[in-house]
Amino acid sequence: MRPNVDTRILALALARMVDALANSFLVVVLPLYIGSQLVSMPSFVGTTLSFGPVGVPLSTELLIGVVLSLFGFLNSLSQPFTGSLSDRTGRRRVFLLTGLALVAVGSAGYLVFTDYGSILVMRALQGIGAAFTIPVTVALVNELSGEDERGGNFGLFNTFRLLGFGTGPLVAGGVVTAGPYSLAGVELSGFDAAFLVAVVGAAVSFVLIVLLIEDPERTDSEAADDISLSVRNPDGSGLDAVFALGVATVVMALSIAMYAPLANVINERLDQGTFLFSVQFGATVLANVVFQYPIGRLSDRYGRRPFLVGGFVLLLPTTLAQGFVQTPGLMILARFLQGVAVAAVFAPSLALAGDLAKAGQSGSTLSILTMGFGLGVAIGALFSGVLVGFGFAVPFVAATALGAVGLLLVYTQVGETVDVDGGGGGGSHAPAGGD
C-alpha cells in the first residue's frame, strides 16, 4: 500500500508540530515553575479541606493539577461550539489564527505575572485558544482525506504533532536547567526562556498557517443549529459509536495526563532530576510518534476496531505499572509501552469518526473525540492531584479501572465502518455486535 499524502496535510501538520512543541514546554515547565519559590502561592496551601470524615490536602500538587486541568476543561468543553460554528461558516483558517494568537498572548503573560491567580488566567486564555484550533485542524485533515487513506493521514498528522509535543519536554528540561541566560543584555531565568520559546513557537505556527493554509471549498453544512450529542444509536440498540469513542477517549487521555502534575512527587520517589522526568514524560509521546502513522495506515487496510481493542488491552497493564515501579528505567519502559497503546487507539478512532461524519459536519463530529481527549487531560490532571494524597499508586490503580470501562465500551459499542480492503465506508453510527 503506497502512501499518497496531500501536501496540504503536510503543511498543516508542520504548523501543528511547531505549535505543539511550544505548548509541551508548558506542560512540563508549569508544574516545575509553580512548585518553585518563584510563584506567589495562596495562603491556604498546606491546609486540608474536610468533607465530613474525608480530608483533601490542599497541596502544591493539587494546585498544579488545577492549572493544568483548567486548560483542558475550557479547551474541551468549548470545542463543540467552535467545531460547529466552523462547520456553519466554513471559515477554518480564521479559527486557527485566532486560537494561535490567544495561545501566544497567554504564553507571554507568564513572563510578566508571577502570582498563582494570574497563572490561572493565562492558562485559561490558552485553553480557549486551543478550542479554536484543535477541532478545526482535525476537520481539515478529514476533509482533505479519501476514505481509504484517512487513517494514514490522521496518523501522519498526529505523528508531526506528537513529534513536536514529544520533543518539547526533552528540550524544556534542558532549557530550565541551563538557565539563567542573558539575551540582549536582559537576564532571563530558565523558566523565562522556556516561556519565550512557547511564544515564539505559537508565532511561527501563526505565520505558517497564514502562508500555507487556505479555507477549503465551502461545503454546505448539515450541522444542526444545536450542538446536542447523540448518545443512543439512532439505527438500533446501544450507544452511538462516536459517543462511545468519545467516552473511551476521555479514559485514554486521563491515563496519560496524570503524570505531569506529579512531577515533584515522582522525582522524589524515584530519586531523579528534571531531565529524567522529561525523558519519562516524552517516552509516551515518542512511542506515539513512531507508531501513529503505520498503525493508521494498517487501520485503512485491516479495519479500525482491532487496533482500538488491542490498544485498550495494552493500556491497562502499562498504566497500572507506573504506580508501582521503583526505578527511572522501568518508568521509562512503562511510559513507552503506554504510548504504543495510545497510538493504537488515537489515529484509528479519529479515522473511524471521520468515516461516520456527514458532509459538512467534520468539525462537529470530530470535536466529540477532540473534546473527549481534552476533557480526559483536564480530569487526569485534577484526578492525580487529588488521589495522590491517599497514596502514590492510587491514581494509577483508579485510572486502570476506568481503562477497563473504556475497553468494554470499545468492544461492545464500536463496529467497523471501512472494508478491510481499504474500500471505505461512511457507515452508520452502529455498535459492533462483533467484527
Side-chain angles (χ1 to χ4, degrees), residues 14 21 91-92 145 232 247 370 382 420:
L14 181 62
L21 186 149
R91 302 291 302 276
R92 308 294 194 197
S145 300
R232 303 292 299 178
V247 175
T370 57
L382 195 59
V420 295

Side-chain angles (χ1 to χ4, degrees), residues 15 18 199-209:
V18 176
V199 174
V200 172
V204 170
S205 188
F206 187 97
V207 172
L208 288 171
I209 294 296

Side-chain angles (χ1 to χ4, degrees), residues 6-82:
D6 193 312
T7 55
R8 294 169 295 177
I9 291 176
L10 282 175
L12 191 63
L14 181 62
R16 283 293 290 133
M17 181 184 72
V18 176
D19 178 52
L21 186 149
N23 188 54
S24 67
F25 260 65
L26 302 178
V27 174
V28 170
V29 171
L30 281 177
L32 300 173
Y33 183 53
I34 296 171
S36 71
Q37 302 299 314
L38 300 175
V39 176
S40 301
M41 299 295 287
S43 59
F44 56 73
V45 173
T47 63
T48 300
L49 184 63
S50 298
F51 297 93
V54 179
V56 177
L58 298 175
S59 62
T60 299
E61 285 71 33
L62 177 57
L63 294 188
I64 291 171
V66 170
V67 168
L68 298 182
S69 65
L70 179 63
F71 173 92
F73 280 123
L74 289 174
N75 168 21
S76 59
L77 296 177
S78 300
Q79 284 185 40
F81 295 93
T82 55

Side-chain angles (χ1 to χ4, degrees), residues 1 4-6 9 138-158 292-293 295-301 304 346-360 362 365-366 417-418 422-427:
M1 182 166 51
N4 182 21
V5 180
D6 193 312
I9 291 176
V138 295
L140 282 170
V141 173
N142 188 58
E143 290 164 354
L144 295 172
S145 300
E147 292 176 343
D148 61 345
E149 57 189 17
R150 185 170 284 125
N153 283 345
F154 272 118
L156 180 69
F157 175 79
N158 284 330
Q292 278 270 342
Y293 182 63
I295 287 177
R297 295 292 295 175
L298 288 171
S299 78
D300 288 332
R301 171 173 287 184
R304 322 294 188 199
F346 204 32
S349 65
L350 285 170
L352 190 147
D355 296 337
L356 296 170
K358 297 178 182 178
S362 293
T365 302
L366 288 164
T417 60
V418 296

